[in-house]
Amino acid sequence: MEKGGTTCIGTNKNRTTLYTGATSDIESRVVEHKGKEINGSFSAKYNTGILVYFENFDSIEEAPDREKYIIGKSRKCKMSLISRFNPA
């Protein structure tokens, strides 16, 4: 059985920094980011523990491809994607 993957975008409380990542376990990843469990990581440095967007995939291989695509987009495109998914 193949495990799926998730692409996600997190932000800080002021919504000034966006973090885009891919994972096979979104729940654990959110806990890591909120708790700043990985010292020296981007998410710990910029406090990006608020999940504002996610996309699930049947295959783990799809998530990093989508992550790279989103990372290559402008902030405006990322904000548009987030607001369509999560208007609040």
Side-chain angles (χ1 to χ4, degrees):
M1 177 181 221
E2 191 172 342
K3 188 170 183 162
T6 302
T7 299
C8 57
I9 300 176
T11 190
N12 58 353
K13 70 176 182 172
N14 295 325
R15 310 296 195 259
T16 55
T17 304
L18 297 175
Y19 165 85
T20 304
T23 181
S24 61
D25 186 352
I26 188 67
E27 292 175 9
S28 293
R29 182 61 56 94
V30 169
V31 169
E32 287 174 357
H33 287 266
K34 283 184 182 264
K36 301 178 197 171
E37 293 180 13
I38 303 172
N39 292 331
S41 68
F42 181 91
S43 61
K45 182 177 180 181
Y46 293 99
N47 301 312
T48 58
I50 301 169
L51 182 66
V52 291
Y53 174 83
F54 67 92
E55 213 174 318
N56 291 317
F57 299 95
D58 293 332
S59 166
I60 186 61
E61 289 81 15
E62 294 174 89
D65 291 340
R66 180 67 171 159
E67 172 194 16
K68 290 173 190 166
Y69 176 80
I70 292 171
I71 287 172
K73 294 297 179 183
S74 68
R75 181 180 179 88
K76 182 179 177 180
C77 289
K78 292 173 191 169
M79 294 303 289
S80 176
L81 180 67
I82 292 165
S83 66
R84 284 192 312 260
F85 174 80
N86 184 3

